[in-house]
């Protein structure tokens, strides 16, 4: 966007063409990209948000003896899910998995199973099921950034695929048209209207460029199999997709259930073997297939926290003799290894707290980059319209309305998601769904509000609303739970304190933005005859 | 893994100092501190210092964290430091000399601690 040409059209040199591409690739799916960036950035604190949204849960139960944890979980599954096809024991290893859990399917209800399939979190102190309010939590919030919540995978995969591709095009063309990346690295000139927005957009893009390229390219890799099905079809045939996925992702050596009953081998041997190879406390899950049958298998998965690469190494044991059958590292081939690294970089599950904050910060700046890009489009055209005809064209008005309703409206919707978590009745059926509905209904309401209100009032009102909505969340938390900010700070409960303080900071930033938008409007009122470009720039 | 976590503060401080000196190396006007500092005279040393600090940060990142987490930490630290320096340059440029001094001192002090503990452990 560093070009000085005010009407970037596909004529003239290479740079002009790239500028045109940058403008339209960025604008056409820009609001969707903003949504993906905002909810995806929240995802770097997904489990922390989960825990804030279930305040009934006890402190994390990590760093326990694997043998004891496995014994507690196994006992629970034996009692609750006899005759199941699969028992999955999740061991709490680090922040990614703060509580133990069980999952089962295909259990025999006649033999006394509570349900054919199910999952819950388990208190390792007494083996009880951990009870907490129903919520979508941080998981549902961050999964919106690729599932888009209301659409089927068949559509959402393609929609976000195109958005990500456009983002990559935006990044590459952005680098090409930015004339002086090194010389202007530090350049930000405040209070200069459109110039300042362009500087801000450039600065935010350039200082996060490694992050942006990584997140966008790895985002495409996530979607590779949907995007390029023919690559798989060429090797495995048109119906071979499931065979391909089995070969690449499923643990090797799994067999169909056979009828002969046999007792399950004790888990002690396999656990010892896994910890000898990977280290103490690095078992993430124990997956038992066909427990109680002669061809039972025990699949032990490694915690992924030690390297950047996502994807767990697995050991497969015979479920009756306890003998090790296969050692299957995640990177079964170079291609799989490369994919694991890109996925791991994208998700950042390996990141310890300080690095996690840097991920979050980079994500926020990326969100700001998309936002400033969208604003520049409208500021530039508003200025041209003021110079030429004095009235704005319909396309410009539409973009301005969508900008207010999304850049301020969506964050307010995310605040509503947290409000709903605390304020909806605990026994409301499909409570988790209503949390998400609260987000999208708020967003929709603010899009309508933006359509009805004058531009500058809409900005001021919606930014103020977002500020108050975020700042009020710690207060609502204090009124509805006993884990308020004072308590969490005093007791060193950093998940709750971090959440509340972060939302206070976000609220303050929106408050500042509302003040800023109001200042632009006041300036514009002072000089209504000659509309000052700076004022338009600030308030648009 | 834990090595990356311990080296992260030192990476951030080194990156802060590096960007502060690289920014000052582009400035023509004088900075008023205790007395006027004639910045253009210092351009070359500042540029050398800046790139040297960046190289130190990069080497520290890779040695302590390995190529994977180390480079991730380096990118994160550079992003954060650039954001802070650009903010200061736009609104409080006098603060940059302070950041440069603090970044150098703090960064090398933290780095020294890592080296000493590394020698101790080795």
């Amino acid at each position: 966007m560093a070009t000085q040409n005010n009407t970037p059209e596909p004529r003239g040199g290479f740079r002009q063409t790239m500028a045109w591409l940058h403008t339209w690739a960025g604008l056409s799916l820009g609001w969707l990209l903003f949504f993906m960036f905002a909810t995806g950035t929240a995802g770097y604190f997904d489990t922390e948000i989960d825990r804030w949204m279930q305040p009934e849960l006890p402190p994390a139960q990590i760093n326990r003896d694997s043998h004891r944890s496995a014994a507690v979980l196994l006992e629970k599954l034996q009692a609750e899910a006899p005759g199941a096809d699969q028992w999955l024991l999740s061991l709490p290893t680090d922040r990614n998995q703060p509580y133990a859990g069980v999952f089962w399917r295909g259990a025999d209800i006649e033999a006394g199973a509570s349900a054919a399939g199910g999952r819950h979190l388990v208190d390792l102190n007494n083996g009880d099921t951990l009870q907490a309010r129903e919520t979508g939590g941080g998981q549902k919030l961050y999964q919106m950034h690729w599932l888009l919540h209301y659409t089927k995978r068949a559509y959402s995969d393609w929609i976000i695929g195109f958005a990500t591709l456009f983002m990559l095009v935006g990044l590459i063309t952005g680098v090409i048209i930015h004339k002086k990346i090194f010389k202007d690295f530090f350049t930000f000139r405040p209070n200069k209207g459109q110039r300042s927005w362009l500087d801000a957009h450039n600065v935010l893009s350039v200082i996060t460029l490694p992050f942006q390229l990584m997140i966008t390219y790895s985002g495409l890799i996530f979607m590779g199999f949907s995007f390029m099905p023919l690559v798989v079809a060429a090797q495995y045939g048109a119906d071979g997709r499931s065979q391909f996925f089995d070969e690449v992702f499923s643990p090797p050596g799994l067999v169909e259930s056979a009828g002969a009953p046999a007792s399950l081998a004790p888990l002690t041997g396999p656990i010892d073997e896994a910890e000898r190879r990977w280290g103490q406390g690095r078992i993430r899950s124990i997956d038992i297939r066909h427990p109680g049958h002669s061809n039972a298998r025990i699949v032990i998965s490694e915690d992924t926290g030690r390297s950047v690469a996502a994807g767990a190494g697995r050991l497969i044991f015979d479920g009756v003799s306890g003998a090790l059958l296969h050692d299957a590292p995640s990177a079964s081939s170079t291609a799989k290894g490369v994919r694991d690294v890109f996925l791991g970089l994208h998700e950042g599950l390996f990141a310890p707290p300080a690095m996690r904050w840097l991920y979050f910060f980079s994500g926020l700046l990326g969100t700001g980059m998309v936002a400033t890009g969208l604003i520049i489009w409208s500021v530039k055209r508003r200025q041209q319209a003021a110079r030429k005809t004095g009235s704005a064209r319909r396309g410009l008005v539409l973009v301005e309305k969508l900008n207010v309703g999304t850049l301020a409206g969506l964050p307010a919707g995310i605040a509503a998601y947290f409000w709903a978590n605390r304020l909806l009745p605990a026994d409301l059926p499909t409570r988790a769904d209503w949390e998400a509905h609260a987000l999208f209904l708020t967003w929709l309401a603010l899009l309508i509000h933006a359509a009805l209100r004058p531009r500058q009032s809409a900005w001021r009102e919606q930014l103020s609303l977002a500020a108050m909505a975020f700042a009020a969340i710690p207060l609502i938390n204090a009124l509805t739970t006993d884990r308020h900010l004072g308590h969490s700070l005093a007791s060193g409960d950093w998940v709750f304190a971090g959440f509340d303080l972060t939302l206070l900071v976000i609220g303050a930033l929106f408050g500042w933005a509302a003040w800023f938008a109001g200042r632009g409007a006041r300036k514009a009122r002072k000089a209504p005859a000659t509309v000052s470009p700076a004022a338009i720039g600030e308030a648009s | 893994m834990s090595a990356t976590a311990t080296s992260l503060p030192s990476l951030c401080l080194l990156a802060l100092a590096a960007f502060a000196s690289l920014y000052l190396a582009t400035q023509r006007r004088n900075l008023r501190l205790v007395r006027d500092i004639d910045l253009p005279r210092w351009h070359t040393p500042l540029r050398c210092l800046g790139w040297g600090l960046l190289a130190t940060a990069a080497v520290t990142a890779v040695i302590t964290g390995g190529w994977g987490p180390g480079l991730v930490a380096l990118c994160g630290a550079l992003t954060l430091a650039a954001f802070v320096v650009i903010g200061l340059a736009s609104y409080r440029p006098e603060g940059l000399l302070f950041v440069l001094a603090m970044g150098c001192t703090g960064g090398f002090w933290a780095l020294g601690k890592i080296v000493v503990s590394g020698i101790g452990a080795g």
Side-chain angles (χ1 to χ4, degrees), chain A residues 204-225:
Chain A
L204 291 175
S205 326
V206 172
I207 68 176
T208 55
L209 195 57
F211 174 81
Q212 308 287 357
L213 287 171
M214 175 280 287
I215 212 79
T216 310
Y217 186 68
S218 57
L220 283 174
I221 289 184
F222 265 98
M223 291 293 128
F225 300 124

Side-chain angles (χ1 to χ4, degrees), chain A residues 18 25 32 41 116 206 220 252 266 334 345 369 517:
Chain A
M18 291 296 118
L32 176 60
T41 300
V206 172
L220 283 174
T334 314
L345 282 171
M369 179 194 76

Side-chain angles (χ1 to χ4, degrees), chain B residues 9-11 13-14 99-113:
Chain B
S10 119
L11 289 185
L13 288 166
L14 290 171
V99 165
L100 174 56
M102 287 306 292
C104 277
T105 326
F108 280 110
W109 185 71
L111 189 56
K113 271 179 62 170

Side-chain angles (χ1 to χ4, degrees), chain A residues 221-534:
Chain A
I221 289 184
F222 265 98
M223 291 293 128
F225 300 124
S226 314
F227 240 32
M228 297 184 283
L230 294 180
V231 176
V232 176
Q235 301 295 327
Y236 289 79
D239 312 320
R241 267 178 93 75
S242 58
Q243 188 200 344
F244 166 76
F245 281 118
D246 260 0
E247 276 182 26
V248 178
F249 297 107
S250 299
L254 292 186
V255 285
E256 290 301 309
S257 158
S263 60
L264 185 69
L267 294 178
T268 328
I271 290 176
D272 280 339
E273 177 65 23
E275 293 203 321
R276 194 179 59 74
R277 285 164 184 255
W278 299 330
Q280 290 289 321
R282 298 207 56 239
I283 294 175
R284 186 175 64 171
S285 68
I286 302 173
D287 183 356
I288 306 171
R289 307 289 178 102
H290 319 303
H293 288 275
S294 56
N295 59 351
R297 292 287 180 272
I298 301 171
V299 182
I300 300 194
S301 296
E302 181 185 7
D303 172 50
T304 54
R306 195 167 281 182
S307 83
V308 170
R314 286 172 295 200
L315 295 173
I316 295 94
F317 296 89
D318 186 305
V320 176
S321 70
L324 178 64
L325 301 178
H326 300 275
D327 175 5
S330 175
S332 49
S333 63
T334 314
K336 178 70 167 37
V338 170
R339 184 179 190 270
D340 280 353
V341 168
F342 272 111
L343 266 51
L345 282 171
H346 189 104
E347 293 177 326
L349 289 179
F350 69 93
M355 215 196 282
R356 185 159 296 280
W357 278 103
L358 290 180
Y359 258 113
F360 181 72
F361 185 68
S362 300
L364 283 185
L365 295 188
T367 316
M369 179 194 76
V370 176
T372 50
L374 285 168
I375 289 173
I376 288 169
W377 193 96
S378 67
V379 169
K380 208 171 190 173
R381 276 153 195 81
R382 164 69 58 177
Q383 218 168 15
Q384 281 163 14
R387 255 202 311 274
K388 281 181 194 154
T389 58
S391 66
R393 281 194 285 181
R394 256 181 274 169
L396 171 59
V397 174
L398 175 69
V399 169
E400 285 175 341
K401 303 282 186 204
L402 284 170
N403 275 357
V404 184
T406 302
L407 304 187
L410 171 66
I414 294 175
Y417 184 73
F418 298 132
W419 279 55
N421 174 266
R422 287 295 190 263
L423 298 181
L424 289 177
D427 52 355
L428 182 74
T430 64
R431 190 174 190 275
D433 290 339
W434 278 101
E435 289 172 353
H437 296 332
L439 189 164
F440 288 102
L441 287 173
T442 307
W443 188 8
L444 181 67
L446 289 177
L447 280 168
I448 295 171
H449 172 266
L452 300 177
R453 296 286 292 157
R455 179 170 47 98
Q456 286 169 336
S457 320
W459 272 116
R460 205 171 52 248
E461 289 160 8
Q462 293 205 13
L463 290 169
S464 310
L465 179 75
M468 285 184 285
F470 277 109
I473 289 168
L475 188 67
I476 296 175
N477 178 44
L479 293 174
T480 53
T481 72
D482 47 12
R483 297 174 72 177
H484 54 82
L485 193 52
H487 170 269
S488 52
L489 281 174
S491 61
D493 178 359
W494 292 113
V495 169
F496 266 63
F499 187 98
D500 281 357
L501 289 173
T502 305
L503 291 201
L504 282 177
V505 170
I506 291 174
L509 286 173
F510 275 107
W512 173 80
W515 170 85
F516 189 74
R519 193 184 64 154
R522 285 190 292 278
K523 267 191 199 167
R525 259 200 307 281
K526 265 185 214 158
T530 56
V531 181
S532 116

Side-chain angles (χ1 to χ4, degrees), chain B residues 12-97:
Chain B
C12 289
L13 288 166
L14 290 171
L16 268 176
F19 282 136
S21 59
L22 285 176
Y23 170 76
L24 291 173
T26 65
Q27 292 305 295
R28 296 246 154 263
R29 62 192 164 163
N30 290 338
L31 268 191
R32 186 150 184 90
L33 198 64
V34 183
R35 60 198 173 87
D36 274 354
I37 297 169
D38 183 17
L39 263 187
R41 273 184 53 200
W42 292 88
H43 275 183
T44 312
L46 278 170
R47 200 172 297 119
C48 294
L49 177 65
W51 285 107
L53 285 165
L54 280 183
T56 314
V59 171
T60 310
V62 173
I63 288 179
T64 55
W67 289 103
L71 285 185
V72 175
L74 179 68
C75 287
L78 292 180
T79 300
L80 177 67
F83 186 81
V84 172
V85 167
I86 293 168
L88 281 173
S90 309
Y91 295 99
R92 294 270 180 284
E94 325 81 61
L96 283 172
L97 275 178

